[in-house]
């Protein structure tokens, strides 16, 4: 099928150079608003398109997939996480799903460190004091935080992003521990000087900081639930730049309020924008609006990955970033 004839619907506004290239290569319908596409509009798009370009704000579930037109053959997601797409059902219906791994690794790891530093060094409290204009000057015991050097970092999920966090943490002098479905091979583990724990519980009892870097799947939902969070020391800090659903947000909030945990740095939330309001009241908690990968560079490179996946598919080959249900 000639590439030009492939009909593409893009559900969200993307950076201008990405949209321009999509329009050059395909018969592309763009959206001129930055709103999330409604379910009805999504259903309609899935009726007529050959390729749907989604992002994490589109829920592509089994009922929507059941109504998809026969033409729909690829969902090229603009983003790495695919927990908003029912990949198994898509596969059963002969619809491929691709994502954009790799290009947001370093930026997400940077944000993980920023959240860790901000929570441990009480930066929001310092900023609030400066912004309120009520800084009374230096004092030996004002706003004392915790040093990163020498602390035990427990990384939950040692994929690309977890490894990028580990590299940074080593540079900060932290001791790196990790839990992952599979142990890394020596060639990766040794340079990171990382200690593997097949027991997540064990790792949590040792950690000063926990960083969530695993994807959200049915098996990671509430992996850090109330029981496991209680294994952490009261001085521990929890950082999450992956997906909110991995942590029981209400349990985390209760423990932070009770002083059973020292702080948290969160970029993602269990109920999307519906952040537990009590989290916002806590000075020890740093909240970011899902912006760990929000760099101009990453957004353009994500667009490049989407285009490569689409073009490869259009040329009759397997998209390089194909997501298969067994990966999840
Ligand atoms: C992703 O790509 O899944 C990220 O969460 C977007 O920021």
């Amino acid at each position: 099928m000639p590439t030009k004839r492939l009909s593409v619907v893009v559900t969200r506004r993307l950076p201008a150079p990405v949209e321009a290239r999509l329009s050059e290569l395909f018969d592309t319908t763009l959206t001129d608003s930055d709103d999330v596409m409604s379910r009805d509009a999504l259903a309609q798009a899935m009726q007529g398109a050959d390729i749907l370009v989604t992002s994490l704000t589109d829920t592509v579930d089994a009922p929507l997939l059941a109504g998809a037109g026969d033409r729909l053959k690829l969902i090229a997601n603009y983003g790495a996480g695919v927990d908003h797409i029912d990949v198994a059902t898509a596969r059963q219906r002969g619809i491929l799903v691709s994502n954009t791994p790799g290009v947001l690794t370093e930026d997400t790891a940077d944000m993980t460190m920023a959240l860790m530093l901000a929570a441990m060094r009480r930066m929001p409290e310092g900023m609030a004091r400066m912004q309120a204009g009520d800084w009374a000057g230096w004092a030996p015991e004002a706003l004392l935080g915790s040093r990163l050097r020498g602390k035990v970092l427990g990384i939950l999920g040692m994929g690309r992003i977890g490894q990028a966090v580990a590299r940074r943490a080593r540079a900060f002098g932290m001791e790196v521990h990790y839990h992952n479905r599979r142990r890394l091979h020596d060639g990766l583990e040794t340079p990171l000087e990382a200690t593997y724990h097949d027991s997540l519980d064990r790792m949590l009892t040792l950690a000063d900081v926990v960083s969530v870097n695993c994807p959200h799947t049915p098996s990671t939902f509430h992996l850090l639930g109330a029981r496991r969070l209680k294994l952490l020391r009261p001085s521990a800090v929890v950082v999450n730049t992956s997906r909110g659903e991995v942590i029981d947000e209400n349990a985390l909030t209760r423990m932070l309020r009770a002083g059973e945990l020292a702080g948290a740095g969160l970029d993602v939330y269990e109920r999307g924008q519906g952040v537990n309001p009590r989290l916002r009241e806590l000075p020890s908690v740093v909240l970011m609006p899902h912006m760990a990968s929000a760099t101009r560079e990453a957004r353009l490179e994500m667009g490049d990955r989407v285009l490569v996946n689409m073009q490869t598919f259009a040329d009759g080959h397997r998209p390089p970033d194909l997501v298969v249900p067994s990966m999840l």
Side-chain angles (χ1 to χ4, degrees), residues 125-157:
E125 289 169 82
M127 278 177 67
R129 202 166 282 188
M130 296 307 282
Q131 279 162 354
D134 70 356
W135 181 37
W138 185 87
E141 293 204 280
L143 289 173
L144 299 184
S146 270
R147 173 188 290 167
L148 263 66
R149 185 169 186 81
K151 296 291 187 306
V152 172
L153 170 63
I155 299 178
L156 175 48

Side-chain angles (χ1 to χ4, degrees), residues 56 79-81 104 242-243 290 293 299 302:
L56 64 89
L104 24 79
S242 175
R243 285 293 183 266
H290 199 155
S293 68
R299 293 292 183 252
M302 287 160 72

Side-chain angles (χ1 to χ4, degrees), residues 280-293:
R280 284 195 255 123
E281 296 160 5
L282 296 169
S284 58
V285 175
V286 188
L287 304 177
M288 287 290 143
H290 199 155
M291 54 187 277
S293 68

Side-chain angles (χ1 to χ4, degrees), residues 20 41 60 95 121 149 162 167 179 237-238 266 276 324:
V60 183
I95 303 167
R121 297 302 304 273
R149 185 169 186 81
R167 284 195 296 277
H179 171 77
V237 165
V238 176
L266 307 175
N276 185 325
V324 291

Side-chain angles (χ1 to χ4, degrees), residues 5 22 39 73 78-79 101 139 174 225 281 291 304:
R5 303 243 176 91
L22 281 165
R39 194 168 167 88
K73 288 286 174 261
Y78 181 82
M174 299 182 87
E281 296 160 5
M291 54 187 277
D304 289 345

